[in-house]
Amino acid sequence: MTALDKADALRRRKGGRPIAALTAYDYPTARLLDEAGVDMLLVGDSLGMVVLGYPDTTHVTLGHMLHHIAAVARAQPRAFIVGDFSIGTYDTPAQALANAQCLVAAGAEAVKLEGGCNQAEKVRAITAAGIPVVGHLGMLPQSVIEEGGYHKTGKTPAQAAAILADAEALVAAGVCAIVLESVLPATARWVTAQIAVPTIGIGSGEDTCDGEVAVVDDLIGSFPWFVPPFARPEAHVADAIREAAAKYVARVTLLSKASP
Ligand code: KIV
């Protein structure tokens, strides 16, 4: 299936079977998630925090994204591989198109960018070149410094109307789906009902969008130092790693004591 076929298949999920998306940043995780039937593997710039140890996504570079997208692509998943633009790599339509082509050359089948009306021209430039684009509205992690933290959006009628206007601009420009992050559930449900492409929610309530995306570390419990309030871990990988490492340390220590 080509990237454009996969984007069309995603679009057709509007209002149908919910889309299950997860982030993935490496080869084994991509293979495991794909085997489990995940629809979309998002190589998100959240890798800045959960893989690279930065405080937020503003430290992530194009080089980081290319490295991790290539690792995920080597898994040759059936799932749709979406690669995030890192901050400062899509400031103009020409830059966005050139860097979208780099993300695709690394193995992405679609690219994701943050923002609405202000990004429409860039979305048009990228989609005109045959590269599917996923939008991202609501709380925009790349603006965390200007916003003074991570805040819920869509709380007032004016904020809800602005999100809808942004979503409509992105749809008109050709996106195949839109992530809604930390949007008031009622607003997420309302926007979802108004627009023609699937919405994929995170921190925007349950059953409010056409699908959900989660950071894989939040799902498997492998990043215990920060767990978002909306996360619903299904495993406790950090505990398993600590336990295995402690057993290893004990075994090696005992061995070294036994030797002459
Ligand atoms: O970077 C990321 O992982 C994301 C998700 C939070 C949607 O953009």
Side-chain angles (χ1 to χ4, degrees), residues 120-214:
E121 208 187 321
K122 296 165 199 169
V123 173
R124 269 192 288 276
I126 301 166
T127 53
I131 300 173
V133 180
V134 174
H136 186 151
L137 295 174
M139 203 282 291
L140 305 181
Q142 290 175 5
S143 306
V144 64
I145 294 168
E146 300 90 296
E147 294 291 321
Y150 299 102
H151 305 295
K152 205 149 207 99
T153 62
K155 289 194 284 191
T156 64
Q159 285 175 355
I163 294 172
L164 180 60
D166 280 333
E168 283 171 339
L170 291 175
V171 174
V175 296
C176 59
I178 299 177
V179 169
L180 293 181
E181 178 160 1
S182 293
V183 172
L184 192 79
T187 301
R189 187 175 285 117
W190 178 68
V191 171
T192 297
Q194 310 291 317
I195 64 170
V197 304
T199 57
I200 304 176
I202 176 164
S204 299
E206 281 174 26
D207 199 24
T208 56
C209 293
D210 297 300
E212 276 194 45
V213 59

